[in-house]
Amino acid sequence: LQWSSPPEAIEHFKSQEIWFAPPQFYELCRLCNFSSLHELHKFNSERALEGCERWMPVILTASDGYIQLLPGDELYPEDPDYTGEKKITLSTDKKVEDLMKEGSIFHRIVIKNINDLAVYVNIQAKYKHMNPVMINSNNSDYNSRL
């Protein structure tokens, strides 16, 4: 077991030394906004009473990968399946790159494969929260529309 800062952990992920599930990758990208534990603590103390939001990622299956859609994304459903009872599946024959080029309002994690994640957010975070730093786990770049 080794302690790493969030940027170091992401570098270990990029080099495939360790693996994180998409939600943990997202949170590590969010933690990259803070250069010290003191800064993180100060931020958390200041926004502690603002509230929080329940999220349910919705998976969109593309022809060459997946996109985890999060609240606020233009493709996020109006009524997500919080319980799993509806078994909603979203899929398209389009490629991830095409979906990214066509879109303009992003809050998503792009998953090309298990070791290739990228976070894209261009919406305002709710409850005075901090958006993640947009980091690709590889060299793919869909930032041209942001």
Side-chain angles (χ1 to χ4, degrees), residues 25-133:
F25 184 78
Y26 181 97
E27 291 302 329
L28 282 169
C29 291
R30 188 182 268 181
L31 289 171
C32 285
N33 285 292
F34 306 98
S35 61
S36 69
L37 186 57
H38 174 73
E39 280 186 33
L40 176 61
H41 183 267
K42 183 177 184 274
F43 170 77
N44 283 335
S45 296
E46 291 172 357
R47 72 153 301 279
L49 298 177
E50 295 296 327
C52 61
E53 177 180 29
R54 178 174 62 170
W55 285 9
M56 178 58 66
V58 174
I59 304 294
L60 170 61
T61 304
S63 65
D64 63 343
Y66 304 90
I67 298 176
Q68 279 193 355
L69 303 170
L70 301 168
D73 191 282
E74 65 189 12
L75 298 177
Y76 193 78
E78 225 175 271
D79 183 25
D81 183 11
Y82 289 115
T83 63
E85 295 170 356
K86 299 177 190 172
K87 303 199 185 318
I88 297 173
T89 56
L90 301 177
S91 63
T92 181
D93 292 333
K94 294 180 181 181
K95 292 185 175 193
V96 169
E97 182 177 1
D98 295 330
L99 291 166
M100 295 301 294
K101 287 179 181 176
E102 292 171 4
S104 62
I105 302 172
F106 298 142
H107 190 200
R108 56 183 69 170
I109 303 170
V110 173
I111 307 165
K112 296 286 271 191
N113 64 56
I114 194 167
N115 292 309
D116 184 355
L117 307 179
V119 175
Y120 296 94
V121 183
N122 64 1
I123 63 167
Q124 179 65 44
K126 290 185 177 181
Y127 304 104
K128 296 184 182 177
H129 219 304
M130 186 72 65
N131 276 336
V133 174

